[in-house]
Amino acid sequence: MHLTHLRLRDFRNYARLDADFAPGLHLLLGDNAQGKTNILEAIYLLSTLRSFRGVGGAQMIRHGQKGYFAGGRAVGQGEHELKMYWSAAERTVSLDGRPVRKVTDYLGVLRAVVFCTEDLQLVKGAARVRRRFLDLLLSQTHPAYLPLLHRYARALRSRNALLKQPVLDEAALDSFSRELAAAGNEIIRYRRELIPKLSPLARLACRRISRDAEELRLEYQSAVKQDFLVELAQASRRERAYRATLVGPHRDDLLMQLNDRSAAQFGSEGQKRTLAIALKMAQAEYLTGLHGAPPVLLVDDIMGELDQKRRSGFMPLLDHAHQGRGQVFMTATEENWPREIGPGVHRWRVEAGKLALMPVD
């Protein structure tokens, strides 16, 4: 799978961009604030319909313009054309010239995994960050999962609204409790089935990056221990006091232990960075094994944050994707780009919202 063409109009600092990309490793070189990360953001947006920076559509519009356009061609099992336009008044997404009615029809056409500084929150951030990581991976691999999440979220919002009422409607609460449990049990099942598949991949990636110095263990911690409906009933008094639903997969977490100790509590910054990268490499390997082709890897200027040992452990993983006819986009400054990368790299200069292919050395 790879992206063969990217087209941007009024996206971030790009007034107009048209670029063709071959398989392999693409190194985007330039000073800070020139637009390197914006290209990765656009590719990720075409893959997932969201920014990995956690911002809304308005923040991605070029200053002074009304909307942005992002489009591209992806080659995987066939060739597909992706287009999206966003403005305050109009939002459209199309696949092969046809409007996308269901997000599940779109996700998976271009699969991408991003490595960025924000990944550190996977280890040290709130539980919702780790839930979002699991949910994105499951949405990329199971068409039924995203509608299930939406169903659960609707039931949760309705149930919480009831709990905030001065007079509680017991019949309505019971109805939404049953809907919540039905959808929630399925979400828990999907997550529990994923972790034993993801954990060995993350453990292996962690060992490679740390040169066998660190052992990672993942454990799924569900807020539901046995029977969802029974536990909702047992929490009813506390729920009425807090006026919110206190049991369910919206309170689950992914626990990470490094050498049998909590990574969040006892890990150094370098170790936490290693774990975050290992999780993302596991995501990429899982997608590769499931679909038979690696996803597009987007690596946003993280090499400078790794010490030499971890950096030398990470590069072979990228080189494996590069040599395996995958596609990697990596940003770096001229001073800090990884010169240990092998031959055959496509180098691009990024300057003031312009992208130009550099000559081969």
Side-chain angles (χ1 to χ4, degrees):
M1 171 170 285
H2 63 281
L3 184 76
T4 63
H5 184 77
L6 178 66
R7 171 174 289 186
L8 302 177
R9 299 291 185 268
D10 293 326
F11 182 88
R12 292 289 190 180
N13 66 331
Y14 289 92
R16 184 182 184 90
L17 173 72
D18 287 277
D20 294 314
F21 301 110
L25 199 153
H26 296 265
L27 196 58
L28 308 179
L29 298 171
D31 294 334
N32 292 329
Q34 299 302 303
K36 304 187 300 293
T37 300
N38 296 343
I39 292 175
L40 303 193
E41 183 180 34
I43 297 171
Y44 191 77
L45 182 69
L46 287 172
S47 171
T48 66
L49 301 179
R50 65 172 64 186
S51 165
F52 63 78
R53 288 163 155 166
V55 300
Q59 284 74 31
M60 292 183 276
I61 301 173
R62 191 166 70 94
H63 181 69
Q65 303 304 307
K66 295 181 178 180
Y68 72 77
F69 170 86
R73 284 195 303 273
V75 172
Q77 293 182 337
E79 183 172 326
H80 297 283
E81 186 176 33
L82 314 169
K83 291 181 180 179
M84 62 183 306
Y85 175 79
W86 195 100
S87 73
E90 181 184 359
R91 303 169 195 186
T92 61
V93 179
S94 70
L95 175 62
D96 297 328
R98 298 178 180 178
V100 173
R101 304 299 182 192
K102 295 188 297 183
V103 175
T104 50
D105 295 336
Y106 183 94
L107 292 179
V109 173
L110 175 64
R111 291 183 294 275
V113 174
V114 65
F115 299 78
C116 59
T117 56
E118 289 84 354
D119 292 341
L120 199 55
Q121 295 304 310
L122 282 170
V123 182
K124 61 193 295 186
R128 66 176 178 274
V129 180
R130 292 178 286 278
R131 289 195 299 270
R132 193 181 303 125
F133 169 75
L134 297 177
D135 289 341
L136 175 61
L137 182 51
L138 287 166
S139 296
Q140 288 179 307
T141 53
H142 295 280
Y145 189 77
L146 189 59
L148 193 63
L149 271 182
H150 291 163
R151 178 183 162 196
Y152 182 85
R154 286 194 300 270
L156 182 63
R157 283 195 300 269
S158 299
R159 194 174 186 276
N160 284 341
L162 282 174
L163 288 168
K164 289 177 171 59
Q165 296 299 315
V167 179
L168 191 61
D169 185 334
E170 296 285 357
L173 186 70
D174 181 67
S175 175
F176 284 118
S177 294
R178 293 184 181 279
E179 174 67 4
L180 195 76
N185 283 328
E186 284 296 290
I187 290 171
I188 293 168
R189 180 180 65 80
Y190 273 111
R191 290 176 180 173
R192 278 187 172 142
E193 289 176 356
L194 172 64
I195 298 306
K197 301 170 185 175
L198 192 67
S199 185
L201 301 175
R203 186 167 59 249
L204 181 59
C206 182
R207 291 179 63 183
R208 285 176 174 172
I209 298 168
S210 68
R211 297 299 182 92
D212 291 324
E214 286 140 17
E215 191 75 21
L216 170 64
R217 185 167 67 88
L218 302 181
E219 180 184 341
Y220 176 57
Q221 186 179 61
S222 176
V224 177
K225 305 308 178 186
Q226 290 185 335
D227 190 305
F228 198 166
L229 275 175
V230 170
E231 290 171 44
L232 280 173
Q234 291 171 342
S236 61
R237 181 173 295 180
R238 288 192 303 123
E239 286 189 335
R240 294 180 190 190
Y242 284 96
R243 304 172 75 185
T245 302
L246 301 178
V247 178
H250 63 288
R251 299 177 68 87
D252 289 354
D253 201 355
L254 177 64
L255 302 183
M256 286 173 273
Q257 288 195 318
L258 191 64
N259 300 331
D260 295 324
R261 302 179 77 191
S262 167
Q265 288 181 305
F266 301 104
S268 68
E269 288 300 298
Q271 289 173 324
K272 290 173 183 176
R273 170 61 61 191
T274 296
L275 299 197
I277 293 174
L279 279 178
K280 290 302 187 76
M281 290 307 306
Q283 178 186 2
E285 288 293 331
Y286 181 72
L287 290 170
T288 300
L290 204 61
H291 298 285
V296 177
L297 303 185
L298 309 172
V299 185
D300 188 27
D301 202 20
I302 65 170
M303 300 305 292
E305 300 177 7
L306 300 176
D307 59 36
Q308 187 57 44
K309 183 184 77 170
R310 297 175 198 277
R311 181 168 167 153
S312 61
F314 178 52
M315 286 310 303
L317 299 178
L318 286 187
D319 194 54
H320 174 70
H322 167 42
Q323 299 299 334
R325 298 296 290 172
Q327 193 176 45
V328 181
F329 292 86
M330 175 185 285
T331 67
T333 62
E334 291 278 8
E335 299 77 23
N336 198 37
W337 69 275
R339 287 166 174 79
E340 60 267 41
I341 295 176
V345 175
H346 309 277
R347 290 195 297 155
W348 300 79
R349 184 178 301 283
V350 183
E351 188 173 0
K354 303 291 183 182
L355 182 67
L357 186 61
M358 298 169 65
V360 178
D361 292 337

